[in-house]
Amino acid sequence: MTAKTVLVSGAGIAGPAAAHWLHRAGHRVTVVESAPAPRPGGQAVDFRGEQVKLLAAMGVLDEIRRYETAMGDQTVLGPDGRPALTVPGAAWSGEVEILRGDLARILYRHTADHTEYVFGDRVTSLTETADGVEVTFRRGAPRKFDLVVGADGVHSGVRAAAFGPEEDFRRDLGFGIAGFTAPNHLGLDHTSIMYNEPGRGLVVGSHRLPDRLHVGLVFAADGIEFHRRTPGEQAALLAQLFADTGWETPKLLEALPAADDLYVDSISQIHLDRWSAGRVVLLGDAAWCAGPGGSGTGLAMMGAQVLAGELAAAGGDHVTAFAKYEQRLRKPATIGQKNGKGSGNFLAPRTAAKIRSRNRGYRMLSTRLFGSIFTWMTDRAANALEYRAYPQLDSSHRGTRLAAGREPGHS
């Protein structure tokens, strides 16, 4: 198979995973990312079953385990701010759980010596020709690539350039989600707390760093746009939305102005009839964003391996490879979207009655019967796609290696 030049847009999780497997297949990969360095923020993501096999095959499982959250039980508070019930940590953490920012750094380091990373830039237009794709960038000079992979998230610029406006494919689920770190004034140690008021939910926990709290917010947000606002505007809006929320919320919100890892967006899903157009293909949230609980991170990484594997199996025939990639991923992506569809209502029930109902369901997780049902439901999305090794993705392949350098923005 003739080696190809591949542009991957997005250096979050799906993009570096694609870079790893495309390199294994012998291709030369460039990753472009609008942020100035790997993004530090994000909540914990977990891996189960087939996805753990993938991490082992990538050679990153041991390092991920060194950074795992090792979370214990979660305490759910009642409306008076006092503990109402406890949920076993195993219900959420899978076989291995890691903060998204830690995972992004691991994948960047794992691929940096053989991948060209371009930070602080983004794709502005795509023009397909008979033998490639001409790409223009916001800052860099135009370049031509054999293939383009859009792994740039729910607000994908590649998708907009190749498929059309985001509004044609994005379905908002009526809730917003936010995350940031704050000082650990609660003294939590590998445990987390959930607190709810109607239409608002907080989950705070301390993972590897004992002096830090990871704060997650979920809230009813019909018709509110977040991603086009500046970080300062996003922080101000969060402060407004949670201004009259009780428990420790005012103290937690004091950390917002200084948070350099704030993430705010709507809980949305992406629905497309196809994931490829000519030499352009979408991966992860850019193609099938499911929302929280949809096993999106694991499936994106699995999809990266399938994409590279099918491209190798087809001898570089991207038309055949993209079709087979989508054939394998469609059903798992649909299962993930079904799981993620109710995440907002689960994490931030809109009425006091629905909060009580959710908590009754929570209590059942401690029983053997309902605990096994819940485990089946969570494992179903993670194991919807079987890990299959592609002989063409030979782990001994070294390809063209680039000079290793320091991570942008880090010493």
Side-chain angles (χ1 to χ4, degrees), residues 44-266:
V45 295
D46 65 87
F47 299 91
R48 304 163 189 260
E50 297 298 310
Q51 298 171 355
V52 177
K53 296 178 185 178
L54 175 85
L55 299 180
M58 290 181 71
V60 298
L61 180 57
D62 288 343
E63 187 171 5
I64 287 174
R65 289 199 184 281
R66 287 196 293 271
Y67 283 85
E68 66 180 325
T69 62
M71 286 297 289
D73 296 344
Q74 180 181 91
T75 300
V76 180
L77 304 181
D80 57 359
R82 296 180 179 179
L85 61 123
T86 300
V87 181
W92 302 112
S93 300
E95 292 180 50
V96 59
E97 183 183 65
I98 184 173
L99 292 174
R100 185 197 174 280
D102 289 338
L103 178 60
R105 285 189 290 273
I106 289 171
L107 294 179
Y108 170 78
R109 292 196 298 265
H110 191 69
T111 55
D113 65 344
H114 57 67
T115 300
E116 177 191 11
Y117 277 90
V118 180
F119 288 93
D121 209 348
R122 64 178 177 84
V123 172
T124 55
S125 72
L126 303 170
T127 303
E128 184 163 347
T129 66
D131 60 349
V133 183
E134 295 176 351
V135 184
T136 62
F137 301 91
R138 181 180 59 187
R139 296 177 57 187
R143 296 173 64 176
K144 188 173 183 177
F145 297 87
D146 294 315
L147 302 172
V148 174
V149 179
D152 43 354
V154 65
H155 305 299
S156 170
V158 167
R159 188 185 62 234
F163 293 82
E166 179 178 308
E167 292 72 21
D168 292 349
F169 314 112
R170 194 184 89 201
R171 300 181 189 175
D172 295 340
L173 302 183
F175 291 85
I177 187 169
F180 61 97
T181 54
N184 187 4
H185 73 281
L186 297 174
L188 299 183
D189 181 10
H190 291 85
T191 58
S192 64
I193 295 175
M194 172 181 276
Y195 174 75
N196 281 99
E197 293 183 10
R200 287 170 287 191
L202 295 90
V203 177
V204 299
S206 177
H207 305 109
R208 291 190 306 104
L209 304 177
D211 62 334
R212 307 302 292 168
L213 283 178
H214 291 270
V215 182
L217 308 175
V218 178
F219 44 94
D222 298 289
I224 300 178
E225 280 281 2
F226 296 98
H227 75 282
R228 292 190 176 94
R229 300 173 187 260
T230 67
E233 291 170 340
Q234 292 175 338
L237 181 57
L238 287 176
Q240 178 183 344
L241 290 170
F242 282 81
D244 60 346
T245 308
W247 185 56
E248 295 286 336
T249 307
K251 181 69 174 178
L252 293 168
L253 293 180
E254 289 178 4
L256 269 176
D260 61 359
D261 57 354
L262 175 63
Y263 169 83
V264 188
D265 209 342
S266 59

